[in-house]
Amino acid sequence: MPTTDTMTESLARLAAVIESRLPARGGNPDASYVARLLHKGPDAFLKKIGEEACEVVMAAKDADHGGDTAKIVYEVADLWFHTMVALAHYGLSPTDVVAELDRRAGTSGIEEKALRKVKAHEADPAASAP
């Protein structure tokens, strides 16, 4: 199993490549799949994220019935990749996601969800009125 440092370095390397393909950095849509997705705009990479998320679900369902669990890894890699394209488009990075996960560490998922509801209500009380 890779170390945390190796995983962090791998994500950082991939993020740097993706960021180098941004239109503002001269990404060439004729020479790069990532540049092509970014050039087409959010609809293109958001559609890919949806497709890849469905493929993760299907691979997991197949694994529940004796299918190869390696397909889950393959599909999650595709999902992470396309999600990283979206992050780059919006000026974010895997570091931002890891920071959010670290912030949530040790917090019950049930408590986290309840807290989000309270914050949403405080931000817009009319939205939750009957």
Side-chain angles (χ1 to χ4, degrees):
M1 175 175 233
T3 65
T4 301
D5 289 342
T6 304
M7 287 187 285
T8 301
E9 289 169 11
S10 294
L11 288 173
R13 259 193 321 275
L14 179 56
V17 169
I18 291 169
E19 289 168 14
S20 76
R21 305 301 199 265
L22 287 163
R25 297 210 179 154
N28 181 353
D30 295 327
S32 163
Y33 171 73
V34 171
R36 188 175 313 131
L37 276 177
L38 290 165
H39 179 77
K40 288 180 180 179
D43 285 349
F45 57 77
L46 295 174
K47 180 180 177 184
K48 287 299 295 179
I49 291 170
E51 290 171 5
E52 299 303 342
C54 288
E55 290 175 8
V56 169
V57 171
M58 290 186 301
K61 290 296 219 174
D62 288 347
D64 284 340
H65 300 283
D68 185 0
T69 57
K71 288 183 180 180
I72 299 171
V73 173
Y74 181 87
E75 297 302 345
V76 169
D78 284 350
L79 177 60
W80 284 15
F81 173 82
H82 288 91
T83 301
M84 288 176 67
V85 171
L87 288 171
H89 173 80
Y90 294 109
L92 301 167
S93 74
T95 304
D96 298 307
V97 177
V98 171
E100 176 60 16
L101 291 171
D102 285 345
R103 184 191 69 76
R104 294 180 188 185
T107 303
S108 157
I110 294 169
E111 291 171 9
E112 173 74 18
K113 188 172 182 179
L115 182 58
R116 277 186 267 152
K117 284 183 180 180
V118 168
K119 287 182 179 180
H121 176 71
E122 289 171 353
D124 187 5
S128 58

